[in-house]
């Protein structure tokens, strides 16, 4: 009896730790939207993406060496990994950092929350996955939330077509990242996750070399401050490597479904951080939009689980 109580208490403690770990990962992911605002002032977009993943790839390489991971790669997998790099790292991050030049970190994080919705639509179009009918309500709710962000709750913006270009860039960024997930489904089971991520990061770095040369590093590096480098290192170490590794642990311990629900906290945490760190104004339309997007995502994810059970 005593052994059972101890075992039960241990399981409860383990569950609490697992949940708190994912909250930490979510905080790190959220912080990327704030750090991006600081670093985009000091780095051009291609160079910022390049340095972020150069640092992250180096750290992952060292972790893999220490763990004795097999670094070999099948030649047949290289084209797909290059495509993953183009869509999920180069495409998404260049568009994301460009968006941050013109719009708030709150807007980008709220629009980014649409990723599961767009991926669901893409999967039904390109992978012929069954589209859950019960997800339609969630999708419409989320799209209305995005519309509220882009228009800032004003009908005049639609009449004049005077949209914030940063919000449009972020919409294209999410489209690129959703396509990344579609390609990822065809390769994810065949390569160890950490190795796949390392090579996606590595190819991203290689692909960006010509653009980094074009941006002429010597024109901005001598003027780059500790704040700029600190923000970049934060995105590389905490938002890319540590948060990713925590997410892997979480998927193993509490499952992908519960883990994915924590990602819905990113816009909320980003909004709070943006208010206190960047002094961004949190308007009622943004709060309503965030609630609509997150609600829509949860409805969609739940409806997908229902369809799978059936």
């Amino acid at each position: 009896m005593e052994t059972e109580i101890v075992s039960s208490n241990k399981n409860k403690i383990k569950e609490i730790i697992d949940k708190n770990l994912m909250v930490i990962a979510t905080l790190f992911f959220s912080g990327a939207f704030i750090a991006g605002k600081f670093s985009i002032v000091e780095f051009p977009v291609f160079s910022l993406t390049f340095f972020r993943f150069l640092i992250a790839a180096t750290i992952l390489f060292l972790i893999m060496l220490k763990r004795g991971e097999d670094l070999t790669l099948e030649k047949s997998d290289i084209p797909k990994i290059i495509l993953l790099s183009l869509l999920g790292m180069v495409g998404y991050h260049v568009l994301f950092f460009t968006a941050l030049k013109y719009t708030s970190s709150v807007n980008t994080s709220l629009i980014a929350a649409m990723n599961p919705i767009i991926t669901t639509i893409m999967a039904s179009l390109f992978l012929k996955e069954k589209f859950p009918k019960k997800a339609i309500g969630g999708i419409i709710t989320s799209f209305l939330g995005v519309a509220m962000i882009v228009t800032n709750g004003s009908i005049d913006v639609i009449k004049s077509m005077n949209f914030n270009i940063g919000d449009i860039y972020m919409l294209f960024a999410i489209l690129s990242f959703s396509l990344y997930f579609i390609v990822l489904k065809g390769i994810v089971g065949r390569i160890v996750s950490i190795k796949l991520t390392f090579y996606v990061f590595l190819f991203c770095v290689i692909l960006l070399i010509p653009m980094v040369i074009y941006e002429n590093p010597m024109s901005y590096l001598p003027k780059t401050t500790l704040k700029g480098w600190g923000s970049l290192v934060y995105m590389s170490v905490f938002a890319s490597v540590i948060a990713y590794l925590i997410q892997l642990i979480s998927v193993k311990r509490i499952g992908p479904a519960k883990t994915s629900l924590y990602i819905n906290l990113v816009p909320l945490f980003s909004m709070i951080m943006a208010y206190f760190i960047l002094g961004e104004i949190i308007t009622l339309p943004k709060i309503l939009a965030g609630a609509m997007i997150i609600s829509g995502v949860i409805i969609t994810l739940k409806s997908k689980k229902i369809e799978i059970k059936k």
Side-chain angles (χ1 to χ4, degrees):
M1 185 71 178
E2 211 171 294
T3 308
E4 287 178 9
I5 293 168
V6 171
S7 177
S8 175
N9 287 336
K10 280 184 179 178
N11 289 333
K12 284 179 182 178
I13 292 167
K14 188 181 175 184
E15 191 178 342
I16 290 166
I17 291 169
D18 291 340
K19 287 179 179 179
N20 287 335
L21 273 176
M22 201 52 214
V23 170
I24 292 168
T26 305
L27 280 168
F28 287 160
F29 285 135
S30 304
F33 293 92
I34 313 302
K37 258 301 191 189
F38 288 126
S39 53
I40 196 60
V41 177
E42 304 192 31
F43 293 89
V45 290
F46 289 104
S47 296
L48 182 53
T49 306
F50 172 84
F51 285 118
R52 174 177 180 172
F53 290 105
L54 176 63
I55 296 168
T58 302
I59 294 169
L60 282 180
F61 177 71
L62 293 172
I63 291 170
M64 289 172 68
L65 274 184
K66 190 172 182 181
R67 288 173 54 171
E69 294 279 355
D70 176 22
L71 292 167
T72 57
L73 199 63
E74 295 289 334
K75 285 185 180 179
S76 57
D77 288 327
I78 292 174
K80 277 191 176 180
I81 293 174
I82 290 173
L83 184 57
L84 285 171
S85 294
L86 282 169
L87 292 170
M89 303 304 125
V90 178
Y92 171 78
H93 287 87
V94 166
L95 289 165
F96 164 59
F97 288 132
T98 305
L100 282 173
K101 290 171 73 174
Y102 302 103
T103 192
S104 68
S105 58
V106 171
N107 280 26
T108 54
S109 65
L110 288 173
I111 294 170
M114 279 288 291
N115 183 56
I117 299 286
I118 303 297
T119 304
T120 299
I121 296 169
M122 291 287 179
S124 67
L125 290 173
F126 296 107
L127 301 178
K128 305 299 178 185
E129 286 189 5
K130 189 176 179 182
F131 188 84
K133 291 178 182 178
K134 290 185 178 181
I136 294 172
I139 289 168
I140 292 170
T141 303
S142 286
F143 273 114
L144 287 173
V146 170
M148 190 174 287
I149 291 167
V150 175
T151 62
N152 201 27
S154 174
I155 196 73
D156 293 331
V157 173
I158 299 173
K159 288 178 182 177
S160 62
M161 297 298 286
N162 187 26
F163 300 106
N164 185 323
I165 189 67
D167 294 340
I168 305 301
Y169 272 119
M170 196 60 203
L171 285 169
F172 278 109
I174 292 307
L175 182 63
S176 181
F177 207 62
S178 296
L179 288 170
Y180 161 83
F181 274 114
I182 299 303
V183 178
L184 187 64
K185 285 195 175 183
I187 195 172
V188 71
R190 294 188 289 106
I191 303 176
V192 177
S193 296
I194 192 168
K195 183 165 84 169
L196 177 59
T197 305
F198 163 69
Y199 277 110
V200 169
F201 286 4
L202 180 64
F203 279 115
C204 168
V205 171
I206 295 167
L207 290 166
L208 284 170
I209 289 172
M211 296 308 299
V212 173
I213 294 169
Y214 172 76
E215 287 178 336
N216 186 15
M218 291 314 297
S219 66
Y220 60 85
L221 285 181
K223 297 178 284 186
T224 308
T225 67
L226 279 174
K227 189 179 187 179
W229 279 112
S231 302
L232 192 151
V233 169
Y234 170 87
M235 289 189 289
S236 302
V237 178
F238 293 93
S240 295
V241 177
I242 296 176
Y244 162 74
L245 292 174
I246 289 174
Q247 195 172 32
L248 277 182
I249 294 167
S250 179
V251 168
K252 285 181 181 178
R253 291 184 179 177
I254 65 174
K258 286 183 180 178
T259 300
S260 66
L261 287 174
Y262 280 93
I263 304 303
N264 293 316
L265 293 172
V266 170
L268 174 63
F269 289 157
S270 296
M271 199 179 287
I272 294 167
M273 288 180 188
Y275 178 78
F276 286 105
I277 299 172
L278 300 174
E280 291 185 5
I281 299 168
I282 311 299
T283 61
L284 182 59
K286 285 183 182 180
I287 294 170
L288 291 173
M292 290 169 75
I293 291 170
I294 294 169
S295 299
V297 169
I298 292 170
I299 291 167
T300 304
L301 289 173
K302 283 187 175 180
S303 66
K304 285 174 80 174
K305 288 178 205 167
I306 292 166
E307 289 291 327
I308 290 166
K309 284 178 184 177
K310 285 181 179 179

